[in-house]
């Protein structure tokens, strides 16, 4: 099942793979991960993802509560008028 | 800062009657200099990148300090009761940032550094702390040597002259200029150089850096003022500091700032005593090697005459490479050589040799002959070095009977215009004057310095990439040095490689020009321009 290079180039996913490779290279260069040793890359990426996940977690937990509070304090209470 | 002026062309012919008359269109005087501003996002990403690397560097230093990781540099054992030998923070940059991309700097070569060079391949197992040679030599186009007129070759009339001179004079005089070191060829070189520059007299030294550093102290001293450009070379700064004069800097190529500083200096005098300055010396360079910009000589000369100061022009990169007859910035701007008090230059760049010279009025040169540190203590120039310069000068001035010199100068001018125009049109940020053979292309980010160099070497081009201590922190660049020895095919290959690397690494930062690939450019226009000038 070995395909020649010519046939492989015309497979539909090769241009996509090249684009992904080029974006990966640019990401490595802009974030200076290109010059780091493998363990340093893992360390920097894990610290970065840790911070991102902490921020996302606290956003999920605390934002609905605050929005509920704000809405409750500012909208007029229509139900009370209907009761009387 | 965009200036473009085209005045009438200049036609030139060497003194030999057999030379061809050069067509009118060859050296249309177009002086366009541009320094596009750094895009903000690039500056931000660069600084963040350095911040991440610094934080990582602190972590690595801590690990080395507690002993978790092995210390690979020489370190001070810091015994008790002794003052520490090094400030470890000075070496922080070297240990943590420079070493990561060290394989890209100081690459050894294995052939003559002409238009093509063989770069020795180095491999490293432990992330650039130690290197091993694999034995392979990579043939590549040399875009890093200051070989502007292509005289760095091991065959041809110049090298034959140099070999004959060894047979005649030996290698060294074993003496200084003041003792028995003034050989016959030194007198010939000095008179030839004085004629080339159209001044009264000239003196030559063995080392270009030392020419600046050791001769400025003879010209200025305590009680004098030196006004030097912010981006001057280290040799000029060292010479100025060694002299003991007061040093003030003015913004790069900014004539208004220079005038303001001169004005203030003359009104207020010396710092505490308010006495008038004994003399004021303005130091500028012809072509600045990191920016590719030319100095604005006519305006500086006008100011100098108005305020009665002295002017020192360092033409290290411009002599031989700039101007329709190759006589440097003086020729380019068509000013009177007698207006500049001290002409200085080096033989390392355009003449393919080593050494430096100072030229000017005979009284000045006589003073330097006696009082210079270099003439008194360093040994005089070696015979093959001097004969190489003399034969190169004879070729450039046309005295050997051929048209070779003028052809080289024209070839360099064509190459420069061709290369610069295409890089500019592709969307790269290229600094400097359109006529300077030094072409800096901006990279900005620290990781890209290594990437560009390695990728260009893979594609057969040896380039020089420069980063932090030599340039500003956020402004790292790749600097191409063009040569008259480069043919059109070599330049095309280099441009194609740069186009690919620019796409891979994303170097197209320009906001003024659209980002084009090499095959998008209209080849016919550039080819037509190149061939018409040739």
């Amino acid at each position: 099942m070995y395909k020649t290079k010519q046939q492989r180039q015309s497979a539909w996913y090769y241009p996509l793979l090249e684009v992904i490779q080029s974006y990966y290279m640019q990401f490595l260069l802009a974030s200076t991960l290109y010059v780091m040793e493998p363990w340093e890359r893992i360390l920097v990426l894990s610290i970065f993802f840790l911070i991102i996940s902490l921020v996302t977690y606290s956003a999920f937990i605390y934002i609905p509560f605050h929005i509920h509070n704000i809405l409750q304090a500012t909208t007029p209470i229509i139900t009370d008028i209907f009761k009387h | 800062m965009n200036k473009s002026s085209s005045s009438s062309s200049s036609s030139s012919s060497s003194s030999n009657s057999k030379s061809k008359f050069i067509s009118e269109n060859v050296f249309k005087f177009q002086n366009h200099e541009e320094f596009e501003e750094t895009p903000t996002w690039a500056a931000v990403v660069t600084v963040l990148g350095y911040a991440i690397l610094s934080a990582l560097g602190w972590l690595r230093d801590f690990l080395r300090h507690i002993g978790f990781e092995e210390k690979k540099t020489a370190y001070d054992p810091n015994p008790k009761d002794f003052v520490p030998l090094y400030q470890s923070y000075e070496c922080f940059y070297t240990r943590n940032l420079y070493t990561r991309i060290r394989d890209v700097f100081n690459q050894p070569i294995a052939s003559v550094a002409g238009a093509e060079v063989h770069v020795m391949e180095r491999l490293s197992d432990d992330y650039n702390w130690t290197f091993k040679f694999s034995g392979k030599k990579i043939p590549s186009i040399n875009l890093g040597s200051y070989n502007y007129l292509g005289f760095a070759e091991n065959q041809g009339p110049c090298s034959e002259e140099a070999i004959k001179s060894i047979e005649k004079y030996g290698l060294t005089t074993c003496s200084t200029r003041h003792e028995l070191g003034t050989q016959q060829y030194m007198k010939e070189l000095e008179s030839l150089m004085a004629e080339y520059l159209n001044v009264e007299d000239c003196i030559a030294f063995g080392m270009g850096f030392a020419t600046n550093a050791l001769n400025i102290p003879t010209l200025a001293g305590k009680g004098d003022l030196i006004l030097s450009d912010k981006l001057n070379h280290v040799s000029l700064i060292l010479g100025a500091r060694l002299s003991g004069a007061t040093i003030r800097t003015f913004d790069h190529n900014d004539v208004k700032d220079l005038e303001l500083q001169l004005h203030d200096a003359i009104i207020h005098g010396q710092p505490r005593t308010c006495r008038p300055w004994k003399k004021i010396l303005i130091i500028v360079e012809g072509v600045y090697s990191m920016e590719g910009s030319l100095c604005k000589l006519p305006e500086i000369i006008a100011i100098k005459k108005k305020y009665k100061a002295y002017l020192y022009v360092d033409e290290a990169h411009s002599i031989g490479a700039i101007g329709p007859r190759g006589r440097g910035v003086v020729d380019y701007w068509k000013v009177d050589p007698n207006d500049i008090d001290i002409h200085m230059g080096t033989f390392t760049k355009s003449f393919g040799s080593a050494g430096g010279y100072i030229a000017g009025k005979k009284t000045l040169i006589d003073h330097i002959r006696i009082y210079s540190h270099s003439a008194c203590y360093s040994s005089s120039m070696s015979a093959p070095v001097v004969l190489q310069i003399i034969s190169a000068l004879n070729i450039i001035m046309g005295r050997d009977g051929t048209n070779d010199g003028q052809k080289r100068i024209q070839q360099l001018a064509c190459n420069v215009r061709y290369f610069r125009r295409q890089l500019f049109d592709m969307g790269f940020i290229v600094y400097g004057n359109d006529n300077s053979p030094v072409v800096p292309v901006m990279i900005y980010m620290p990781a890209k310095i290594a990437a560009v160099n390695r990728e260009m070497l893979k594609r057969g081009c040896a380039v020089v990439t420069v980063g932090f201590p030599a340039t500003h922190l956020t402004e790292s660049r790749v600097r191409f040095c063009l040569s008259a020895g480069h043919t059109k095919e070599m330049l095309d290959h280099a441009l194609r490689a740069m186009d690919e690397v620019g796409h891979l690494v994303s170097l197209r930062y320009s906001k003024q020009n659209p980002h084009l690939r090499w095959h998008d450019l209209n080849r016919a226009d550039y080819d037509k321009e190149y061939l018409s000038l040739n």
Side-chain angles (χ1 to χ4, degrees):
Chain A
M1 300 307 272
Y2 177 76
K3 293 197 191 121
T4 61
K5 189 154 193 246
Q6 194 61 31
Q7 282 174 314
R8 274 191 291 145
Q9 286 287 23
S10 55
W12 64 275
Y13 51 82
Y14 252 85
L16 186 67
L17 215 62
E18 273 187 44
V19 166
I20 292 179
Q21 264 183 334
S22 128
Y23 274 122
Y24 177 59
M25 177 68 150
Q26 290 180 22
F27 162 69
L28 281 182
L29 286 170
S31 59
T32 69
L33 292 182
Y34 180 83
V35 299
M36 294 183 195
E37 300 172 29
W39 66 268
E40 290 172 339
R41 282 188 197 181
I42 296 172
L43 183 69
V44 167
L45 283 173
S46 54
I47 290 178
F48 177 68
F49 280 126
L50 192 72
I51 295 177
I52 294 286
S53 61
L54 276 175
V55 169
T56 329
Y57 177 75
S58 37
F60 269 119
I61 299 294
Y62 293 114
I63 288 183
F65 168 67
H66 285 301
I67 292 180
H68 179 74
N69 257 8
I70 290 169
L71 279 177
Q72 208 178 37
T74 53
T75 54
I77 300 174
I78 301 168
T79 48
D80 278 353
I81 302 168
F82 277 128
K83 269 187 202 158
H84 292 297
Chain B
M1 258 194 78
N2 291 348
K3 265 194 350 233
S4 53
S5 57
S6 6
S7 53
S8 60
S9 60
S10 68
S11 72
S12 62
S13 55
S14 51
S15 50
N16 196 313
S17 58
K18 288 190 215 159
S19 61
K20 237 173 15 177
F21 179 73
I22 316 294
S23 72
E24 286 281 308
N25 285 327
V26 167
F27 292 109
K28 263 199 283 240
F29 187 71
Q30 273 178 348
N31 185 42
H32 174 82
E33 201 164 285
E34 191 169 328
F35 299 91
E36 195 176 324
E37 245 194 80
T38 312
T40 323
W41 65 268
V44 168
V45 173
T46 314
V47 174
L48 283 179
Y50 275 109
I52 297 178
L53 286 174
S54 304
L56 209 57
W58 278 323
L59 175 68
R60 294 290 293 267
D61 272 354
F62 176 67
L63 290 178
R64 278 187 270 251
H65 181 74
I66 59 172
F68 187 69
E69 209 184 310
E70 186 196 331
K71 287 191 201 177
K72 293 204 175 118
T73 49
Y75 67 98
D76 184 15
N78 262 336
K80 197 157 125 46
D81 295 340
F82 280 81
V83 178
L85 202 55
Y86 301 110
Q87 269 198 337
S88 57
Y89 196 73
E90 282 168 357
C91 311
F92 179 81
Y93 179 81
T94 315
R95 254 196 325 267
N96 295 307
L97 277 75
Y98 182 80
T99 313
R100 286 179 194 274
I101 50 177
R102 204 158 72 107
D103 66 313
V104 144
F105 304 116
N106 301 342
Q107 293 178 340
I109 60 175
S111 75
V112 68
E116 290 191 346
V117 71
H118 290 257
V119 178
M120 298 187 72
E121 195 187 20
R122 292 188 292 184
L123 302 167
S124 174
D125 295 325
D126 51 355
Y127 300 102
N128 295 344
W129 286 99
T130 56
F131 289 111
K132 278 198 302 278
F133 289 111
S134 73
K136 184 167 165 233
K137 301 190 171 49
I138 309 172
S140 40
I141 300 176
N142 188 358
L143 290 164
S145 293
Y146 306 128
N147 181 17
Y148 299 135
L149 290 177
F151 280 114
E153 46 199 13
N154 54 2
Q155 288 158 344
C158 296
S159 57
E160 279 165 26
E161 286 280 318
I163 294 171
K164 274 194 280 196
S165 77
I166 301 181
E167 287 161 15
K168 186 169 173 196
Y169 295 109
L171 274 178
T172 170
T173 58
C174 288
S175 178
T176 66
R177 287 296 294 272
H178 278 187
E179 296 166 9
L180 276 180
T182 308
Q183 267 274 16
Q184 190 185 355
Y185 50 70
M186 290 299 292
K187 287 188 123 30
E188 196 185 328
L189 171 66
E190 287 170 2
S191 64
L192 203 58
M193 205 59 207
E195 203 182 317
Y196 182 71
L197 295 169
N198 205 3
V199 288
E200 284 177 25
D201 200 3
C202 169
I203 176 174
F205 302 98
M207 187 176 155
F209 187 101
T211 309
N212 272 330
L214 301 178
N215 287 306
I216 296 183
T218 60
L219 302 168
K222 203 157 171 311
D224 297 337
L225 175 66
I226 292 184
L227 284 168
S228 86
D229 194 296
K230 272 212 165 78
L231 297 177
N232 268 343
H233 193 247
V234 177
S235 56
L236 294 163
I237 299 176
L238 203 63
R241 285 192 192 157
L242 199 59
S243 67
T246 312
I247 309 173
R248 301 216 177 124
T249 58
F250 61 93
D251 292 335
H252 177 60
N253 254 353
D254 192 351
V255 177
K256 288 199 177 44
D257 194 25
L258 173 62
E259 183 162 5
L260 197 69
Q261 298 253 17
L262 260 178
H263 196 76
D264 281 344
I266 293 178
I267 290 175
H268 295 119
Q270 295 188 25
R272 267 173 296 139
T273 56
C274 287
R275 287 202 208 134
W277 297 102
K278 283 198 268 179
K279 66 167 102 70
I280 301 183
L281 184 63
I282 305 174
I283 302 185
V284 286
E285 281 190 46
V287 167
Y288 291 88
S289 64
M290 272 303 151
E291 313 281 315
S293 54
L294 263 67
C295 71
K296 298 188 183 144
L297 211 47
E299 291 146 15
I300 297 182
I301 289 182
I303 287 186
K304 160 199 149 342
K305 284 189 178 159
K306 180 174 164 190
Y307 292 97
K308 299 200 177 54
Y310 296 106
L311 184 60
Y312 181 110
V313 176
D314 177 350
E315 290 200 57
H317 286 268
S318 55
I319 190 76
I322 303 268
R325 289 186 311 151
R327 315 273 159 132
V329 276
V330 170
D331 194 28
Y332 179 83
W333 290 109
K334 302 203 179 24
V335 296
D336 184 12
N338 292 325
D339 283 339
I340 300 175
D341 303 290
I342 306 145
H343 303 247
M344 180 266 168
T346 61
F347 299 120
T348 324
K349 280 83 183 187
S350 299
F351 302 104
S353 184
Y357 68 86
I358 291 191
K361 295 218 156 36
K362 190 159 189 321
T363 46
L364 169 77
I365 302 297
D366 285 343
H367 173 89
I368 293 183
R369 277 190 213 279
I370 302 171
Y371 287 100
S372 161
H373 297 279
S374 190
C376 184
Y377 294 110
S378 69
S379 86
S380 62
M381 291 168 86
S382 170
V385 165
V386 176
L387 266 293
Q388 155 86 15
I389 306 170
I390 292 178
S391 54
L393 269 175
N394 281 330
I395 291 179
I396 294 176
M397 296 206 282
R399 295 211 174 157
D400 60 335
T402 66
N403 205 13
D404 200 25
Q406 199 59 29
K407 268 203 278 197
R408 281 177 195 252
I409 297 174
Q410 270 176 272
Q411 177 74 28
L412 177 66
C414 292
N415 284 353
V416 164
R417 253 194 293 267
Y418 184 72
F419 198 75
R420 265 185 178 266
R421 194 76 239 156
Q422 295 202 37
L423 277 181
F424 196 66
D425 289 340
M426 281 202 267
F428 294 107
I429 294 187
V430 179
Y431 272 13
N433 197 305
D434 270 355
N435 294 313
S436 86
V438 174
V439 186
V441 174
M442 304 306 285
I443 304 181
Y444 300 119
M445 288 161 213
K448 291 189 184 181
I449 302 174
V452 164
N453 202 309
R454 288 177 198 152
E455 296 293 324
M456 287 295 274
L457 196 59
K458 268 193 229 166
R459 289 166 176 79
C461 299
V463 296
V464 169
T465 45
V466 271
F468 170 55
T471 65
H472 199 230
L473 186 74
T474 53
E475 289 177 10
S476 40
R477 57 202 76 179
V478 52
R479 184 185 68 178
F480 296 102
C481 291
L482 298 169
S483 158
H486 288 137
T487 60
K488 186 166 177 293
E489 288 77 31
M490 288 187 203
L491 291 182
D492 281 341
H493 181 87
L495 282 166
R496 241 177 283 136
M498 192 62 195
D499 168 57
E500 268 178 45
V501 170
H503 180 71
L504 194 69
V505 167
S506 139
L507 288 180
R508 289 177 159 89
Y509 293 109
S510 173
K511 288 191 198 151
Q512 293 172 358
N513 305 331
H515 298 176
L516 298 169
R517 299 296 308 263
W518 198 67
H519 49 78
D520 289 333
L521 295 175
N522 189 1
R523 300 245 52 77
D525 287 340
Y526 300 108
D527 290 349
K528 195 165 63 128
E529 196 192 296
Y530 189 86
L531 294 169
S532 75
L533 292 171
N534 244 337

